[in-house]
Amino acid sequence: MEETNQSVVSEFIFQGFCTSRELQIFFLLPFSTLYLMTVVGNLFVVILIIIDHHLHSPMYYLLANLSFIDFCLSSVTTPKMITDLIQENKTISFGGCMSQILCVHFFAGGEMVLLVTMAYDRYVAICRPLHYTSIMDRQKCIWLVLISWIIGFVHGINQLILVLELPFCGPREIDSFFCDISLAMKLACTNTDTLGIIINVESGVLAITCLILLLISYTYILLTIQLHSNDGSSKALSTCTSHIIVVVLFYGPVIFIYLWPDSITWVDKILSVFNTVITPLLNPVIYTLRNRDIKNAIKKLINHM
């Protein structure tokens, strides 16, 4: 029978976060607890910013979007990873795998651009304070957030289209707990070296462009803060420190995974867990603990209960 260039694999099999049955049971409660805290923490930040009119400013509007993206990014892979810890057969349908690839790149790409937008907001607030309200008006904020979502969606669709062109006709095992695009490509029944370069370049251009813009923005901000040492600058430094910590938490694992020459499977899995479970949990914690306005809003909410 003549072979066709169509996928005949109906599902993939995950090897999971670890192979030991004892470790899988051990990790069930911690990962479930972390995911629950991620969902509650991020949605709490979103709701708090919506209901408290004192937080209706560009910075908190962007923060609410970041929390929502973190909630979505974590929800793409973590529930499946948790349920697979108690299952012998860790399978995912072909459509489910492609959906994971699309959503992971959609939300991760959107978060990269949103972090740049948040840096731009702080740059205007600190370096051009007299023009802040005119530059960062409501319409500008909405457009900046829309651009973040659009770029993330285009990035995700680009990655998905490239993978959908591949013929999957044999191997089905993915040595991970989610459909990582680089691991899924290895299962294709054709040479994917050129396609791998294209995918890495597309992702790299987005990531490096955003990283350069972030470095430029925060360099300007820190230099401006250093030149103006007062109470206002101290508050600005505290806010920017939170932003910088979030950027480092997001980009650190990404840079290590994609730039480290020798890929080590268990290290990649730990870093992937960090990006999809730990970082989305830490973001609301960092902003809540370091932000006076958010803490005051929480106190006010508790007092009204």
Side-chain angles (χ1 to χ4, degrees):
M1 182 180 295
E2 188 177 340
E3 292 185 359
T4 61
N5 190 32
Q6 294 182 347
S7 301
V8 295
V9 171
S10 61
E11 64 180 17
F12 293 101
I13 302 170
F14 291 144
Q15 292 189 9
F17 179 67
C18 56
T19 55
S20 168
R21 190 63 186 163
E22 291 76 16
L23 281 177
Q24 289 177 19
I25 299 300
F26 173 79
F27 282 125
L28 180 62
L29 181 59
F31 283 161
S32 299
T33 304
L34 288 172
Y35 177 63
L36 180 61
M37 292 170 65
T38 298
V39 172
V40 172
N42 282 291
L43 292 183
F44 176 75
V45 170
V46 173
I47 294 169
L48 184 68
I49 291 172
I50 291 173
I51 65 176
D52 193 316
H53 69 276
H54 292 102
L55 300 178
H56 291 181
S57 66
M59 183 177 78
Y60 296 111
Y61 175 67
L62 297 173
L63 176 57
N65 275 273
L66 177 67
S67 291
F68 184 69
I69 286 182
D70 279 333
F71 158 69
C72 293
L73 182 60
S74 183
S75 297
V76 172
T77 58
T78 310
K80 173 65 176 169
M81 178 186 70
I82 292 170
T83 56
D84 279 348
L85 289 173
I86 56 175
Q87 294 186 8
E88 289 291 339
N89 298 319
K90 303 172 176 57
T91 60
I92 186 171
S93 66
F94 181 84
C97 183
M98 295 302 108
S99 297
Q100 276 197 344
I101 289 174
L102 170 63
C103 292
V104 165
H105 286 273
F106 172 25
F107 294 123
E111 181 160 344
M112 286 182 190
V113 182
L114 187 62
L115 288 173
V116 174
T117 302
M118 294 175 74
Y120 174 71
D121 171 70
R122 290 301 83 202
Y123 164 76
V124 176
I126 294 169
C127 300
R128 303 184 64 185
L130 298 179
H131 303 281
Y132 180 71
T133 53
S134 60
I135 295 175
M136 292 299 294
D137 57 25
R138 183 180 180 83
Q139 188 175 11
K140 173 73 75 64
C141 285
I142 292 172
W143 272 109
L144 287 172
V145 169
L146 278 176
I147 289 170
S148 300
W149 285 95
I150 291 169
I151 291 176
F153 182 71
V154 171
H155 171 62
I157 287 292
N158 285 342
Q159 300 285 299
L160 178 63
I161 290 173
L162 290 171
V163 176
L164 283 175
E165 292 294 318
L166 294 173
F168 294 95
C169 52
R172 297 187 301 158
E173 287 197 1
I174 297 177
D175 191 7
S176 183
F177 58 88
F178 73 105
C179 277
D180 182 281
I181 191 168
S182 60
L183 296 178
M185 281 172 47
K186 292 179 180 178
L187 303 181
C189 303
T190 186
N191 187 287
T192 59
D193 291 343
T194 303
L195 186 62
I197 293 172
I198 294 171
I199 287 176
N200 285 333
V201 167
E202 201 270 341
S203 296
V205 167
L206 177 62
I208 293 171
T209 301
C210 289
L211 184 59
I212 290 172
L213 291 173
L214 285 166
L215 291 173
I216 293 172
S217 297
Y218 285 118
T219 299
Y220 269 103
I221 290 169
L222 293 175
L223 289 174
T224 301
I225 292 173
Q226 188 178 24
L227 293 173
H228 302 86
S229 298
N230 51 49
D231 292 338
S233 296
S234 177
K235 181 180 179 181
L237 180 60
S238 177
T239 303
C240 286
T241 302
S242 299
H243 285 235
I244 292 169
I245 291 172
V246 168
V247 169
V248 171
L249 286 173
F250 181 82
Y251 269 95
V254 173
I255 291 172
F256 189 92
I257 289 172
Y258 286 98
L259 295 186
W260 197 254
D262 298 316
S263 178
I264 305 172
T265 303
W266 67 269
V267 174
D268 289 349
K269 288 182 181 180
I270 291 173
L271 292 175
S272 295
V273 166
F274 192 87
N275 248 12
T276 57
V277 181
I278 308 299
T279 300
L281 169 63
L282 290 178
N283 286 353
V285 172
I286 291 167
Y287 283 111
T288 301
L289 293 179
R290 298 187 62 87
N291 190 287
R292 188 182 304 169
D293 294 334
I294 296 243
K295 286 190 283 188
N296 289 337
I298 293 173
K299 290 176 183 176
K300 190 189 302 181
L301 184 64
I302 293 172
N303 291 334
H304 280 96
M305 286 182 175

